[in-house]
Amino acid sequence: MRAAPIRLRVDGVAVEVPAGANVAAAVAAASTRFRRSRGGEARAALCGMGVCFECRVSIDGVAHQRACMTPAREGMQVRCDD
């Protein structure tokens, strides 16, 4: 039996990901970018293992969380560019 999908919001957009997915998967499902650099360039997950910090997002009001290292949880509120 499969686990129920996880529902969360990315920049206000409802997203559904499989159980066991990380926040980076949810952001990728909702958008084409994670944040913008200081120079205005779109950024995204690069290494996928928490080293590069390119996938930083705010999760439930806590800034600078690495999306690739954070398991998705039901009801999370994820913000890019915060």
Side-chain angles (χ1 to χ4, degrees), residues 12-51:
V13 176
V15 178
E16 192 172 278
V17 294
N22 60 25
V23 173
V27 173
S31 177
T32 59
R33 66 176 176 82
F34 284 72
R35 62 185 186 86
R36 293 209 178 269
S37 70
R38 287 184 166 187
E41 294 123 1
R43 310 307 292 175
L46 180 65
C47 72
M49 60 184 184
V51 175

Side-chain angles (χ1 to χ4, degrees), residues 6-73:
I6 296 169
R7 293 170 190 85
L8 61 153
R9 291 194 168 272
V10 176
D11 290 333
V13 176
V15 178
E16 192 172 278
V17 294
N22 60 25
V23 173
V27 173
S31 177
T32 59
R33 66 176 176 82
F34 284 72
R35 62 185 186 86
R36 293 209 178 269
S37 70
R38 287 184 166 187
E41 294 123 1
R43 310 307 292 175
L46 180 65
C47 72
M49 60 184 184
V51 175
C52 71
F53 287 77
E54 290 295 323
C55 65
R56 290 186 317 249
V57 295
S58 292
I59 299 173
D60 295 331
V62 180
H64 305 295
Q65 302 298 302
R66 292 174 289 174
C68 72
M69 299 299 293
T70 306
R73 293 185 321 271

